[in-house]
Amino acid sequence: MLKEEFLNEMKNLGGIDYEAFVRAMQETPEISIKLNRRKLTDPTDIGYDDPEPVIWCRSGHYLSSRPIFTLNPLLHAGAFYVQDASSMIYEPIVEELSNRGLLPSAPLVLDLCAAPGGKTTSMINALPDGSFIVANEVMPQRVKILAENLQKWGYPDILVTSSPTSKFGALPASFDLIAVDAPCSGEGMMRKDEEAGRQWCPNLVKQCSTLQRQILSDAIAALRPGGILIYSTCTFNRQEDEENVEWMADTHGLEPIDLELPMEWGIIKQINSDLPALRFMPHATRGEGLFVAVVRKPGVTESRSHAKTIADIKKKTRVILDGIPKTIAKGKMEIPASQWALSTRFPIDDYQSAELDLDTALGYLRHEAITLPSNVGKGFVVVKYKGFPLGFVKNIGSRANNLYPSEWRIYNSSLRSQQVSEKNRQ
Ligand code: SAM
């Protein structure tokens, strides 16, 4: 049940078909997945029936029902990511910015509010090789899943940090692209998540708007002159959306960029504002509520060397993950890290590998010892499912010892608990 006060706010928002909006808020949310473009391009390889394209994102596909994603080893191989379709707009936005020459050929990118990694993985899909991505998440309990998801996505030029945004505001202005997918009052999540509806109150909107301006001030300071900022929320009110874009333009002189996306995508433009922005409204687009605006910091500077900025970040922030590890220490030895097998630069031909059937692959992901076919040699072996690497084992013949990261293991549990745990990981 949506709160009366919230519905009144929506009625007064203007610029939308209110009756259609209320009807859409009662409908069941869509289920959608995004392919990892550096790992595969054909959605049928994932194994779900009749995937239907998301019109604004070539990597996005709707599914007709919700499978238990955890039981598909390709999720753990980082071949796809479960994500609301609206959020996938980050991929075509970054492509459009590159095509219009608004980003350097190998940009330095900061995702300031990154967990669990939906927008980061979308940007990685769109960015060329050579780009470097810093993904930050201040909440310690959320940064772990961010680091896990990014290792599975496999793009190696990444740094995961967990610091307040002020640490980035204090760095020299050096990022070419910064994403602020801000903590918000979550009005656009209400049909997917009842808790968002229960928590909503006018004061929350006010608090979020203040926090967003603090985060945006830090982002603007960290952006190099000429750099681009993508600001998004999953909420509908103007205070957290258009008014924050107006504030960035008026107070910091940022220049909004009109993305001119095709009309048939159904994306609504800004409400009651002269500045361009995109609104995904559930009655007009197939996805949850999302607001996105793109702004540019005036001026021009040459991109600073990535290495210098990254060295500064490592000194001043709490680093959780510095690239994808190739090896891990085991006693006095260094042995291959399973994470390395998930990297998009993993040289698969340098290792022995073995294809697993579904049951054995799930056993491997539960961190069980498995048995490989007798023709597989002893030593370190990459195990694969449908050709996608999952990690390493050490084959000793009678069995293969499991080297999958124990903190990533999946559990043999009921359908209901799998679904709850999946929801928490998205
Ligand atoms: N970008 C993510 C994605 O697409 O998967 C979702 C980000 S979510 C909308 C906002 C994030 O901001 C949350 O992970 C939350 O923990 C984080 N956050 C909360 N308070 C914050 C603060 N004061 N400063 C920066 N980030 C904060």
Side-chain angles (χ1 to χ4, degrees):
M1 268 297 276
L2 298 173
K3 287 184 183 167
E4 195 70 34
E5 217 175 350
F6 165 69
L7 289 173
N8 283 337
E9 293 284 339
M10 289 306 298
K11 207 181 268 176
N12 296 333
L13 183 65
I16 62 161
D17 177 345
Y18 173 74
E19 303 299 331
F21 167 79
V22 174
R23 272 196 307 277
M25 288 298 276
Q26 261 109 59
E27 284 166 12
T28 311
E30 296 275 358
I31 310 294
S32 43
I33 59 168
K34 172 179 73 191
L35 306 187
N36 184 339
R37 297 191 62 77
R38 285 185 174 79
K39 295 197 179 187
L40 81 167
T41 49
D42 184 350
T44 58
D45 289 348
I46 300 289
Y48 299 130
D49 291 338
D50 304 322
E52 206 188 323
V54 171
I55 44 176
W56 50 84
C57 177
R58 59 191 170 139
S59 313
H61 301 273
Y62 298 103
L63 303 181
S64 50
S65 60
R66 188 179 182 94
I68 304 178
F69 289 112
T70 307
L71 300 184
N72 186 340
L74 297 189
L75 177 72
H76 311 281
F80 73 99
Y81 188 94
V82 185
Q83 186 177 32
D84 161 50
S86 307
S87 291
M88 296 179 194
I89 194 69
Y90 265 64
E91 186 176 324
I93 287 178
V94 173
E95 282 169 352
E96 162 99 359
L97 292 169
S98 299
N99 292 341
R100 282 167 61 173
L102 292 166
L103 294 177
S105 56
L108 179 61
V109 180
L110 169 63
D111 190 346
L112 208 43
C113 311
K119 310 291 187 309
T120 325
T121 48
S122 281
M123 290 194 287
I124 290 172
N125 256 2
L127 287 164
D129 284 347
S131 311
F132 192 95
I133 292 100
V134 180
N136 179 66
E137 167 57 46
V138 67
M139 299 291 178
Q141 69 279 23
R142 286 172 62 81
V143 76
K144 281 190 198 146
I145 188 68
L146 172 67
E148 178 180 332
N149 284 338
L150 291 184
Q151 287 175 88
K152 289 178 177 172
W153 206 245
Y155 185 73
D157 299 326
I158 51 160
L159 187 75
V160 177
T161 59
S162 184
S163 292
T165 58
S166 55
K167 296 280 179 194
F168 292 89
L171 292 171
S174 35
F175 287 94
D176 300 303
L177 172 65
I178 300 185
V180 174
D181 185 34
C184 70
S185 59
E187 295 163 355
M189 287 290 120
M190 283 183 186
R191 71 173 178 180
K192 209 172 179 179
D193 178 5
E194 283 180 19
E195 192 52 30
R198 273 195 292 275
Q199 280 179 355
W200 186 92
C201 64
N203 203 33
L204 180 64
V205 171
K206 232 165 131 185
Q207 283 169 4
C208 288
S209 162
T210 306
L211 174 61
Q212 287 150 2
R213 289 185 186 192
Q214 277 165 18
I215 297 173
L216 285 171
S217 300
D218 292 327
I220 293 165
L223 200 61
R224 72 165 170 83
I228 302 283
L229 191 155
I230 306 178
Y231 174 60
S232 56
T233 73
C234 55
T235 210
F236 300 125
N237 66 77
R238 290 189 71 263
Q239 294 97 302
E240 295 177 69
D241 294 348
E242 284 86 353
E243 288 181 19
N244 276 347
V245 181
E246 285 162 2
W247 172 81
M248 285 194 274
D250 296 343
T251 314
H252 294 276
L254 295 191
E255 301 155 355
I257 292 175
D258 199 345
L259 289 166
E260 312 261 352
L261 300 177
M263 289 292 287
E264 62 268 26
W265 289 3
I267 301 166
I268 292 173
K269 294 278 181 165
Q270 68 279 5
I271 293 181
N272 201 8
S273 171
D274 294 336
L275 304 182
L278 310 173
R279 277 177 168 268
F280 288 76
M281 304 295 292
H283 60 287
T285 41
R286 285 179 69 185
E288 301 315 287
L290 185 77
F291 173 89
V292 193
V294 180
V295 292
R296 181 178 172 278
K297 189 167 176 174
V300 196
T301 37
E302 288 302 310
S303 238
R304 196 170 176 248
S305 115
H306 292 189
K308 270 196 194 132
T309 306
I310 295 158
D312 277 344
I313 294 172
K314 287 186 192 168
K315 274 187 243 142
K316 292 180 184 152
T317 60
R318 186 167 158 247
V319 174
I320 302 296
L321 178 77
D322 184 359
I324 296 186
K326 292 184 178 172
T327 59
I328 48 164
K330 182 120 183 157
K332 287 186 182 156
M333 277 171 47
E334 286 288 319
I335 63 168
S338 282
Q339 291 89 327
W340 175 226
L342 302 171
S343 164
T344 50
R345 270 186 230 138
F346 178 62
I348 183 97
D349 294 338
D350 290 1
Y351 295 89
Q352 302 192 70
S353 62
E355 182 68 27
L356 305 183
D357 61 26
L358 179 62
D359 279 350
T360 316
L362 291 174
Y364 175 73
L365 295 167
R366 286 193 297 264
H367 212 270
E368 292 164 4
I370 57 172
T371 306
L372 298 180
S374 53
N375 60 348
V376 179
K378 289 186 182 170
F380 295 109
V381 177
V382 182
V383 291
K384 300 183 294 187
Y385 178 71
K386 291 188 179 170
F388 291 86
L390 296 174
F392 276 98
V393 291
K394 186 170 183 194
N395 192 20
I396 55 171
S398 54
R399 63 163 201 276
N401 290 334
N402 196 318
L403 300 177
Y404 195 63
S406 56
E407 65 279 17
W408 291 3
R409 71 167 59 175
I410 63 170
Y411 289 92
N412 226 351
S413 47
S414 69
L415 180 72
R416 172 76 193 131
S417 63
Q418 291 279 11
Q419 284 171 337
V420 170
S421 106
E422 279 179 6
K423 212 171 146 226
N424 291 339
R425 292 161 77 90
Q426 286 162 28

